[in-house]
Amino acid sequence: MMATVRALLALGMLVTGLITATSAALVDDLFAKMEADVLELVLEAEKAYSTRCSTSLNNCARRNYDECTSEYPNLSCPATELAGEQCGGSLCSSLIDTSISAVSLPRDVANGRNGNPTDEQAIESVCYTRELEDWFQQKRIEDSDFWSNEYNVESPQMFIGTQEGTFRVHPARHSATCGDFDPRSRPWYIAGSSGPKNVVLILDTSGSMAGLRIELLKQAASRVVETLTIADRVGLVHFSSEATVLTTRMVIATEANKRDLLKQISGLEAVGKTNFYDAFQDAFEMIDQTTESELHVDCNSAILFLTDGKMTDPDGVTEDDVVDLVTSEITRVQNELEKPVLLFTYSISDNENVHGFPKRLACASDLGVWSQIIDETLIVQSLTSYYRLFALGLGTESNDDFVAWAEPFNFFPSGVLGTTASAPVYDRTKEPPLFIGVVGFAFTLSAIDQALGVESQSQKTLDRVIRQSTARCPSLNLTLCELESYRGDGNCFSGSGTTNQVCDFVQIEASKCTGTPDYPQDLWMNTNWKHLEYVDRACCQIGSDQPSDQCAVIPPDETSLFIPIVVGCGAAFAIAIAVFFFWLHKRRNRSSAKLRYTANLADEHHMPPPTAPPTTMMEAPLDYSESFARVIPPPTDSSFVKEQIHAYHSQTLCQAS
């Protein structure tokens, strides 16, 4: 008997092992396919970029579709898990067009007539990315059976974000917010252009930073944190008379950890003197604590140091002492990790005396870069552009197969969890290759859930994405000439008379086309839906090919007020009627005088009953869609719903007696 039990247990373990191994193999294959697809898109994007000064510009006028204002040519309304709550009802979804891609531009880029860009390089980026249209469509057709049959999920969204801020995505969907999206500040973009990294921010919060500077500093630090992904580790030190470490060790840049850091950053205040030494000492101690606990990512590191003044504390410590500390510690950490440590220093002031030390500190490091910020409004832009140096070094052949993975996010408009695989794009006709943007594929986590055989949104799926995100550390190869070129006006040999003897400056940023015809001024095929709200552009009844006013939902703030009132009043009235008839039944054998009294009470009961507390009616999730449709007629346009709500609010639906 025992032998049989042991045999069954062994068989069960064997079967479990086979299932686990099979699931792991399926997931590995899925990740391999996604990465291969992304790298194929990289090649297509680089090929398209090479045509930007000829074919792309000549065939670009009125050939593109804007994410908010354009009417799309071949709309469909599929039943999809990506439809959002903005389009209400079980028979409703959101429109897509698989025959085209849509373009999104940040508001400051779309600064021309009808939301057209005026910057010539931005126009180029819209035009050359349009050359990806055929590839997008063909790829979707080729892979549709794979995604639908193997995993029963949507085909991935394919996209490119450029250095100019252009974002092109396939298939085309309309956006709820217009002009707010900037791909350059998205985690997938930063991850794709810099790879996994350890990031330490060292921020000056001394008294001289009070006012606008401290507010902009908090914005900049928040932006840096927001753009990190689960492949990154982050820590923060702020200093005035003393240094304060927000985390004793660097933490994984998960959404939860980033929220905690952002909350602490928002509470920073400017007060006290300026102590550089303790700040750097605490920063390197944090790095040591992290590496000793093996919580760091085994990849490149960046230290971002920002100040607006000269060192005043502690007594007896000089700037030379700080330089010695920083250079020796960076060398030690680089030797221990066997990975580069980049030092970015920023000085904010119109006083030239302030800039000397931050520049000297950067130049003392092999991979140091100093930036002078004269206009304090540029703090955010300057501090968040650190990734560009990583991107400059990632363009070598050794990184040709590099793909980054971002932390799971909520797809718009559905809120369904998904993740992104992304990779950098370069102009490889230049030496060094010039970074021009990032391409990516975004797909739902449902496919990974199914491959692993786990429930939706399982921790096992998240762990697998995290593991994939740190699986590859790109090599960072920067020559002295490339570094000096990136440093620009802050190069470390300026004024020495030896710059040209050391190296020739190289091009590190893409430039606009030369000798080309006039740039197209109107890029959009049409702006027919320019004045429509999102629900009027995007919400549809499944199976249709046009927007439907039957699918617009009442905004949550209004609905939350209206429905509890209607339901609460109805419930209170029903309870009152039940109590009345029970009371009447008990007393129907009483005297005629009392019966007359009862009749009088019945007449009085026609007064509106007291309002029942709305919270008691909303404790359980209820579907009020049918009864609500009877209260308010189907709207003919989105504004009608609001008008009806306000009309009902202005009436006395029910009052306390």
Side-chain angles (χ1 to χ4, degrees):
M1 180 66 178
M2 290 301 296
T4 302
V5 171
R6 283 195 293 268
L8 289 173
L9 288 173
L11 180 60
M13 293 174 64
L14 177 61
V15 171
T16 301
L18 288 172
I19 293 173
T20 302
T22 302
S23 297
L26 287 173
V27 174
D28 289 343
D29 290 344
L30 182 60
F31 279 115
K33 173 178 172 47
M34 289 297 296
E35 293 186 356
D37 288 346
V38 169
L39 294 174
E40 185 180 349
L41 179 52
V42 167
L43 296 178
E44 292 296 323
E46 292 178 351
K47 183 169 67 176
Y49 182 80
S50 69
T51 70
R52 76 190 189 286
C53 299
S54 54
T55 308
S56 297
L57 283 176
N58 295 333
N59 299 316
C60 191
R62 299 181 64 83
R63 300 289 294 275
N64 304 274
Y65 293 88
D66 179 79
E67 62 162 352
C68 284
T69 65
S70 296
E71 180 181 5
Y72 300 160
N74 298 298
L75 290 169
S76 62
C77 188
T80 169
E81 63 178 334
L82 297 183
E85 295 179 355
Q86 292 93 333
C87 302
S90 60
L91 300 179
C92 295
S93 184
S94 56
L95 291 165
I96 67 170
D97 191 330
T98 59
S99 70
I100 61 168
S101 60
V103 175
S104 167
L105 297 174
R107 190 170 288 106
D108 61 331
V109 176
N111 55 359
R113 183 174 177 272
N114 285 331
N116 280 278
T118 57
D119 178 77
E120 291 179 341
Q121 284 185 266
I123 294 173
E124 289 177 15
S125 66
V126 173
C127 293
Y128 82 75
T129 58
R130 199 187 74 82
E131 299 298 313
L132 297 173
E133 198 85 73
D134 290 342
W135 188 88
F136 283 150
Q137 293 181 42
Q138 188 60 37
K139 188 64 178 175
R140 183 178 180 86
I141 293 171
E142 288 177 358
D143 286 359
S144 60
D145 287 344
F146 172 82
W147 292 104
S148 60
N149 295 340
E150 295 289 333
Y151 297 104
N152 193 31
V153 297
E154 294 285 315
S155 295
Q157 294 182 353
M158 299 166 277
F159 53 84
I160 180 170
T162 75
Q163 270 288 76
E164 296 76 27
T166 296
F167 179 70
R168 184 181 289 275
V169 60
H170 179 91
R173 299 176 186 270
H174 277 97
S175 296
T177 58
C178 305
D180 293 339
F181 185 83
D182 190 332
R184 297 166 296 186
S185 63
R186 303 305 302 161
W188 56 262
Y189 189 95
I190 305 301
S193 57
S194 59
K197 54 199 167 294
N198 304 293
V199 178
V200 177
L201 293 94
I202 305 175
L203 307 177
D204 186 346
T205 54
S206 61
S208 59
M209 288 288 293
L212 179 61
R213 286 184 182 178
I214 191 65
E215 295 306 316
L216 292 173
L217 173 69
K218 291 192 284 188
Q219 285 184 36
S222 297
R223 184 76 62 81
V224 170
V225 170
E226 288 168 351
T227 58
L228 299 176
T229 75
I230 49 174
D232 303 316
R233 307 295 182 265
V234 59
L236 193 149
V237 179
H238 67 92
F239 65 93
S240 51
S241 301
E242 298 178 344
T244 302
V245 179
L246 294 189
T247 55
T248 56
R249 300 181 182 89
M250 286 184 281
V251 296
I252 301 176
T254 62
E255 288 301 320
N257 286 337
K258 288 193 289 187
R259 280 196 301 271
D260 289 342
L261 272 176
L262 292 174
K263 184 177 180 180
Q264 295 184 72
I265 289 171
S266 67
L268 295 178
E269 297 180 351
V271 62
K273 298 181 179 180
T274 309
N275 185 341
F276 297 157
Y277 193 90
D278 285 359
F280 277 104
Q281 195 170 49
D282 285 0
F284 286 109
E285 185 175 337
M286 181 204 310
I287 293 173
D288 289 342
Q289 292 263 4
T290 306
T291 55
E292 288 170 5
S293 303
E294 297 185 349
L295 298 176
H296 66 295
V297 60
D298 188 21
C299 202
N300 309 311
S301 300
I303 298 173
L304 281 61
F305 167 71
L306 184 145
T307 184
D308 76 332
K310 296 176 70 67
M311 186 172 67
T312 58
D313 269 19
D315 292 337
V317 176
T318 67
E319 291 181 351
D320 288 342
D321 295 329
V322 178
V323 173
D324 290 343
L325 169 70
V326 173
T327 53
S328 63
E329 286 294 276
I330 285 180
T331 300
R332 178 183 63 81
V333 172
Q334 286 186 147
N335 291 337
E336 290 178 358
L337 299 181
E338 298 181 343
K339 295 290 190 299
V341 177
L342 281 64
L343 174 65
F344 299 85
T345 67
Y346 307 86
S347 50
I348 319 160
S349 182
D350 53 8
N351 182 351
E352 286 298 322
N353 294 328
V354 168
H355 303 300
F357 173 71
K359 178 178 180 180
R360 178 186 167 202
L361 184 61
C363 291
S365 173
D366 291 338
L367 292 171
V369 176
W370 164 68
S371 298
Q372 178 181 9
I373 307 175
I374 296 177
D375 183 353
E376 58 191 20
T377 61
L378 297 178
I379 291 175
V380 177
Q381 177 183 329
S382 299
L383 201 63
T384 55
S385 63
Y386 74 94
Y387 72 87
R388 290 170 52 217
L389 183 57
F390 281 94
L392 179 63
L394 263 60
T396 58
E397 290 183 5
S398 60
N399 297 316
D400 282 352
D401 59 348
F402 169 68
V403 175
W405 288 83
E407 179 175 5
F409 61 91
N410 296 112
F411 268 102
F412 173 83
S414 65
V416 172
L417 277 178
T419 188
T420 296
S422 60
V425 181
Y426 290 88
D427 176 1
R428 299 190 183 276
T429 65
K430 306 293 185 181
E431 186 57 43
L434 302 181
F435 173 69
I436 58 176
V438 174
V439 299
F441 275 60
F443 68 111
T444 64
L445 291 187
S446 304
I448 305 177
D449 292 334
Q450 292 182 49
L452 288 172
V454 297
E455 294 182 0
S456 177
Q457 302 183 24
S458 164
Q459 182 64 39
K460 190 174 181 180
T461 298
L462 178 59
D463 291 343
R464 185 63 182 84
V465 175
I466 293 175
R467 196 159 68 250
Q468 191 70 21
S469 71
T470 57
R472 170 76 190 279
C473 175
S475 58
L476 190 62
N477 302 299
L478 290 167
T479 67
L480 176 61
C481 294
E482 292 167 2
L483 184 60
E484 277 295 278
S485 300
Y486 182 88
R487 286 166 171 164
D489 293 337
N491 75 80
C492 294
F493 300 104
S494 60
S496 65
T498 60
T499 303
N500 293 330
Q501 299 173 18
V502 174
C503 66
D504 294 324
F505 284 106
V506 296
Q507 183 180 357
I508 61 166
E509 291 186 345
S511 55
K512 70 175 185 178
C513 299
T514 58
T516 59
D518 292 338
Y519 282 78
Q521 301 301 306
D522 190 0
L523 300 176
W524 312 129
M525 178 70 76
N526 65 74
T527 55
N528 295 346
W529 289 356
K530 181 177 181 179
H531 301 294
L532 297 183
E533 297 294 331
Y534 172 73
V535 293
D536 300 317
R537 290 182 277 116
C539 294
C540 57
Q541 291 185 321
I542 294 172
S544 69
D545 60 2
Q546 291 295 322
S548 170
D549 54 18
Q550 304 299 313
C551 288
V553 296
I554 292 177
D557 56 333
E558 302 282 13
T559 305
S560 61
L561 291 173
F562 181 75
I563 291 179
I565 292 174
V566 174
V567 176
C569 292
F573 184 74
I575 293 171
I577 291 294
V579 170
F580 168 71
F581 279 108
F582 178 77
W583 178 85
L584 185 62
H585 174 73
K586 286 287 189 181
R587 286 165 172 74
R588 60 184 168 182
N589 294 324
R590 296 198 177 180
S591 65
S592 58
K594 287 194 174 184
L595 285 174
R596 284 194 297 273
Y597 178 67
T598 301
N600 291 337
L601 282 181
D603 290 337
E604 292 174 6
H605 224 298
H606 288 292
M607 292 193 308
T611 303
T615 52
T616 60
M617 303 307 299
M618 300 300 290
E619 289 175 349
L622 300 174
D623 183 7
Y624 301 111
S625 56
E626 293 185 3
S627 59
F628 191 67
R630 289 194 293 271
V631 175
I632 297 181
T636 56
D637 59 68
S638 60
S639 61
F640 180 81
V641 176
K642 258 188 178 177
E643 292 172 3
Q644 289 294 307
I645 291 173
H646 290 304
Y648 274 97
H649 284 175
S650 65
Q651 300 172 9
T652 306
L653 295 176
C654 53
Q655 301 175 356
S657 57

